[in-house]
Amino acid sequence: TTPLVKGVFRFSMARTLSSQAQQSAKLISEADFLLIITGAGFSAESGLPTYADIASDPVYSTRFLDYQTLCSPAFASEDPSTFFGFWADCFNRYRDAEPHEGYKMIHQWHQTFVQPKMQHQNAFLQAIQTQH
């Protein structure tokens, strides 16, 4: 009886997850907006450094510079070449990074759910503007 019980539990659990996924998809498709908040690990999956990774880079760690300091406007005045070099490096890394599947999924959600609503809203606003 144990394998049958386990099989029933797994089937039941899979069915519940499927039901929850369908409910989630329905809520997302009907939402007026969707805010997605991720942690540093989301970007790290694309090879981008986390705050801790930046602080451990010898270029900065040997000078006891952490992410917060590197982002500080005061530091921009104190050491502009390091400040702007840091941001140029960040820019290049983000530009060159290959988005992982999570980013692609969010982009697809945007195209599927957000853009059609925006086009409808823009058409509505244009119609109102032509009335005035």
Side-chain angles (χ1 to χ4, degrees):
T1 58
T2 304
L4 180 59
V5 172
K6 285 183 181 177
V8 170
F9 175 76
R10 287 184 185 147
F11 176 76
S12 173
M13 181 67 123
R15 189 175 197 159
T16 301
L17 290 174
S18 175
S19 166
Q20 290 172 343
Q22 289 175 353
Q23 179 64 19
S24 297
K26 182 178 184 299
L27 292 171
I28 289 169
S29 70
E30 295 173 351
D32 292 330
F33 64 91
L34 179 62
L35 174 64
I36 299 173
I37 301 172
T38 67
F42 198 75
S43 297
E45 288 292 320
S46 288
L48 297 170
T50 64
Y51 304 132
D53 294 336
I54 291 168
S56 67
D57 186 318
V59 171
Y60 306 117
S61 65
T62 57
R63 296 176 57 199
F64 304 102
L65 297 173
D66 61 8
Y67 184 79
Q68 186 174 4
T69 302
L70 290 164
C71 296
S72 160
F75 185 69
S77 298
E78 293 170 23
D79 189 346
S81 62
T82 301
F83 178 84
F84 289 107
F86 166 74
W87 284 108
D89 182 53
C90 288
F91 175 81
N92 290 333
R93 288 179 190 225
Y94 277 88
R95 183 190 60 202
D96 298 339
E98 183 65 34
H100 60 71
E101 291 301 314
Y103 284 104
K104 293 174 185 175
M105 182 178 67
I106 292 171
H107 180 70
Q108 185 178 5
W109 285 355
H110 181 265
Q111 289 180 317
T112 303
F113 301 117
V114 177
Q115 281 183 339
K117 289 180 183 181
M118 289 174 65
Q119 290 170 354
H120 175 73
Q121 291 170 353
N122 288 340
F124 178 73
L125 291 173
Q126 287 174 355
I128 291 174
Q129 289 172 352
T130 59
Q131 300 286 323
H132 295 281

